[in-house]
Each structure stands twice: as C-alpha cells, then as structure tokens.
Amino acid sequence: MHKVAIIGTGAIGRTHIEAFLKDTRCEIKALCSRTVSKCHALIDELMSERKDEITVTDDYHTLLDRDDIDIVSIALPPALHKEVTIAFLKSGKNVLLEKPMALTLSEEDEMINAERESGMKLGIIFQNRYYHQIQKAKKMLDEGYFGKVLSVDVTSHWFRGSNYHNLYWRGTWGSEGGGTLTSQGVHQVDMLLWFMKGLPETITAIMDNRTHTNSEAEDEGVAIMRFRNRAIASFSVSLSDMEETQNFRFQCEKAAFTIPEWSLHVKKAQPNGYPEEDREEEERLQHIFDSIPADGKEGHDAAVSRFIDAVEKGESADATPEDGRNATEFIDAFYLSAAKGTSVTLPLGKDNPVYTKEGLIASMPKFFTKTISTESQKGTMTLGSTVSK
C-alpha cells in the first residue's frame, strides 16, 4: 500500500485527492495547506471515516522525514514547484507534480538533476493525454496507419473572467511564469509535442492581452512552426473564448483526423485530381480505431494510476520531467518570439534570457499592472472541453 501526502488543497488539490482515493493501492496519510481549514473540510467530505489517521499541517517540512509516506502529490502555485519538489525528492519520496513543471527552464533543470541524484521518480500531470479518443489516435499515428504528418492545427481556447487573476499568485510573470499559454494552453502544448515526438525547429508568434486587466501576461496568442520532419503547425490560444474550443486537426499522408472529438476523413484523387470519398479505407481505419481497447480510467485518475505503475515497476513516469521541460521550452520560445517580433529557433540555450526567472521577467511585456490580490475565490473549477468528449 502506497502512503500519500497531498501538498496544496485548492481546486486542483481536491482533484488529486479524488484520483488517489480511486486507486486501491493508495492511502492518503497527510494533507498540507497554508489554510488548514481547507484540509479539514476535504477530510470531512471525502475521508471522514479516516479523519483521525490523516495528518493536517501548514508546513510541508514536517512531512519530509516521514517514513510512512512514499508518494507526494504537489498541487501548488508554479512559483513553489521547484523548492517543494526538490525537497521531497531529496528526502526519498516519489513526486507527482501538477503542470506547469516550474516557472523556468533553469528551475526545471535543477529538478531533473534532483530526480537523477535521488533515485526517486518525478512525474508531471498532463491528464489530457489519457482520454480514450486521444490514446487511440496516438497509437494509430505511431503505428503508421495515417502515414506521415503534413500539418497540425491546434486550438487551445478557454474562458476565464477578468477576475480570474485576482487570486494572489495568478497574473504575473514572476509568480505564474506566463498567461493562458502557461496555465491552460500547456495541456495542448504537451499533447502536440507528444504526438510529434519532440520540439519544433522554429516558432513565430504574436500575443496580446485584450480583456484580463489584472494580469501582466497574455490572454491571446497565435504561432506557426515547423517540425524537424518538415510538418508545419499552427497554435492558437485564448482565455476569452466563450465557446471554449480545444482541439487538434491532423492532416496526414493517408487521412485527416481530429481529437478529442474524434472524426476521420479519407479521400482519393479522381483522374482529374479532384477528390472523392474513399469510403472503403475510411471504414477500415475506423474499424481499427474502434477495436483498440480503452483503459478504464481517464484524465487525472489515469495520470495518477500510471504514475503508481511507474513507481512499482521502477520505470520512468509516463509523463517525464523532460516532457515537462519540453512544454516550458515551447512556451518560452513562443513568448520570446512574440516579445521580440521575430522567429525563434529551438532548442533554447542556457544563455538565452528566458532561461532564468530574472531574464524571463525582464524580457516579457507587461500588458497590465496587477492591482488586486486575494487569498481565495469562490466557485467551481472546470477542466476544459476535453473532459466531456
């Protein structure tokens, strides 16, 4: 039985708790929050029968030497990820970390080194990978059914009100590491890089902030890029789209498909070059797609269970810290291109100004000045359209 501590009990911390409770290999031993009343409320609601067995603390340091904890799940603001993750890795705990991995590439390199030196496992939660339609499409692409990728169009559109950034840690380059691309679009960034098996060669981007006046960072952005296999891609991100469209459209050599709402199209050329539907091939590919077995769990539930699998097998996490770093590198290149008004070539070196927190802050425009900073907000959290597909 794995003994688990959850660090951070905000909206996403609750999601972590619920996912661990669904895996029978785990037992939650401790909750940590600077507002301990949140811990007690979650225990009363979700684990009341064990309330006397669960430690509640506002200081994660008190859990570092606990021999009865072997997995720590971190759901804290991004500015705290590096410090807390490294402390637990060094104390001999496996760590599952909410996205984004950290504020900067410099911090993430320290975390990767800490994982290697400690011999423990560090995993990043990119839960959108684990929805059934997405898993099936990835398997078919990897196995060559669609041929080579020609182009990809990514839409990462979300909606948050102008008061979303009133929470104390949101809305500055120094505390959140960016805007909607960092906080929401990172899911689609990870999936793009996962499907394409690596970073693009170049990115050209623009960005702006149109409606979120309590945030320094962007709430809109568009980029075009080229990958090393010559595939091109577009990436559009927004925090102001009331339709909340998050999808991918892949144009491949043998078919076109979309996810997470699955659709498949196959055409062949007539003698004059104009298209006609290739129903036979489309039905064949659809049959293969339908026949791929789906795992029982999706989203955060699957991300947690996959991480436990990795711990038990002594393997790397399914979503590795290197994956987390790749997502940050993509985002930083996007930001750098938009800020400088020029194309950016990847990978970014350690001498690049956005490699460090200080350099990122100095390099980025401040669209607005953050003037409101609250400790907590009422309301429920939504996870995006992928959840309902």
Side-chain angles (χ1 to χ4, degrees):
M1 182 72 70
H2 296 283
K3 310 297 185 179
V4 180
I6 310 290
I7 314 300
T9 54
I12 200 66
R14 178 194 177 97
T15 302
H16 286 214
I17 292 170
E18 291 173 339
F20 275 100
L21 288 174
K22 291 174 185 175
D23 195 303
T24 57
R25 295 171 292 178
C26 297
E27 182 178 85
I28 294 176
K29 298 292 291 185
L31 299 183
C32 177
S33 173
R34 67 180 195 168
T35 307
V36 295
S37 59
K38 292 182 179 180
C39 300
H40 290 295
L42 286 168
I43 291 171
D44 288 342
E45 181 182 354
L46 302 174
M47 302 171 284
S48 59
E49 73 284 356
R50 295 188 54 249
K51 64 188 307 178
D52 295 333
E53 305 169 32
I54 300 173
T55 301
V56 171
T57 180
D58 62 358
D59 183 1
Y60 76 87
H61 294 91
T62 63
L63 304 176
L64 292 174
D65 294 329
R66 286 273 295 266
D67 292 334
D68 61 338
I69 294 172
D70 66 302
I71 294 178
V72 176
S73 190
I74 297 175
L76 294 170
L80 300 175
H81 284 188
K82 186 198 81 167
E83 171 193 322
V84 181
T85 296
I86 290 177
F88 277 111
L89 288 172
K90 288 184 175 180
S91 73
K93 312 288 191 288
N94 300 292
V95 175
L96 183 59
L97 179 63
E98 184 60 40
K99 62 76 194 169
M101 183 173 167
L103 287 181
T104 64
L105 295 171
S106 174
E107 293 183 350
E108 290 169 358
D109 283 343
E110 290 184 55
M111 295 160 76
I112 290 170
N113 288 336
E115 184 202 33
R116 291 171 180 166
E117 292 171 1
S118 69
M120 309 310 295
K121 304 299 179 187
L122 172 59
I124 314 300
I125 290 186
F126 286 125
Q127 78 272 10
N128 284 18
R129 292 183 178 193
Y130 302 110
Y131 290 97
H132 295 157
Q133 310 281 59
I134 293 166
Q135 289 276 312
K136 291 182 176 187
K138 178 68 160 59
K139 180 177 176 62
M140 287 186 68
L141 183 66
D142 287 350
E143 294 182 357
Y145 288 105
F146 303 131
K148 64 185 177 184
V149 177
L150 306 177
S151 66
V152 191
D153 298 301
V154 185
T155 304
S156 182
H157 287 189
W158 306 70
F159 178 83
R160 299 290 186 270
S162 60
N163 58 342
Y164 170 77
H165 294 99
N166 292 357
L167 194 62
Y168 74 97
W169 57 269
R170 292 179 181 149
T172 72
W173 294 103
S175 63
E176 200 169 9
T180 186
L181 186 58
T182 295
S183 295
Q184 288 81 31
V186 65
H187 293 295
Q188 282 71 46
V189 169
D190 170 68
M191 285 174 57
L192 175 64
L193 304 185
W194 181 52
F195 268 88
M196 299 302 291
K197 299 182 179 180
L199 289 160
E201 287 186 324
T202 61
I203 294 180
T204 306
I206 57 174
M207 65 181 179
D208 203 347
N209 184 327
R210 303 297 305 281
T211 63
H212 294 80
T213 56
N214 199 38
S215 171
E216 295 177 351
E218 93 294 345
D219 68 1
E220 304 276 349
V222 177
I224 55 174
M225 66 211 70
R226 182 184 293 277
F227 285 84
R228 285 167 177 77
N229 61 1
R230 294 181 60 198
I232 59 175
S234 67
F235 197 108
S236 173
V237 63
S238 172
L239 203 60
S240 305
D241 184 354
M242 295 183 185
E243 187 179 4
E244 290 210 287
T245 302
Q246 296 127 42
N247 61 28
F248 291 72
R249 185 178 186 280
F250 282 82
Q251 297 179 55
C252 301
E253 192 177 19
K254 300 177 182 179
F257 67 91
T258 63
I259 51 173
E261 187 169 6
W262 172 254
S263 67
L264 174 69
H265 301 278
V266 181
K267 287 184 169 63
K268 59 185 177 182
Q270 300 179 62
N272 63 359
Y274 285 82
E276 64 178 354
E277 302 290 338
D278 190 341
R279 297 296 187 189
E280 182 178 348
E281 179 63 8
E282 189 173 298
E283 289 175 3
R284 185 184 77 88
L285 292 175
Q286 183 64 50
H287 176 74
I288 294 170
F289 180 88
D290 293 337
S291 68
I292 297 172
D295 291 341
K297 293 182 176 181
E298 296 184 288
H300 277 85
D301 297 345
V304 165
S305 290
R306 292 283 189 94
F307 182 70
I308 296 167
D309 291 342
V311 169
E312 292 185 345
K313 295 176 182 177
E315 299 174 349
S316 296
D318 195 50
T320 66
E322 287 78 13
D323 291 332
R325 189 189 190 282
N326 279 346
T328 299
E329 187 160 9
F330 177 101
I331 290 168
D332 284 352
F334 188 117
Y335 287 153
L336 191 62
S337 172
K340 289 184 171 293
T342 186
S343 294
V344 169
T345 300
L346 292 94
L348 304 178
K350 292 185 177 182
D351 58 344
N352 195 288
V354 297
Y355 181 74
T356 65
K357 177 179 176 180
E358 295 75 20
L360 177 70
I361 294 171
S363 300
M364 291 300 110
K366 294 178 176 58
F367 293 104
F368 294 97
T369 300
K370 185 176 176 69
T371 58
I372 302 172
S373 184
T374 61
E375 287 294 311
S376 63
Q377 293 176 316
K378 294 181 179 180
T380 58
M381 180 187 67
T382 59
L383 294 175
S385 65
T386 301
V387 176
S388 63
K389 301 301 182 185

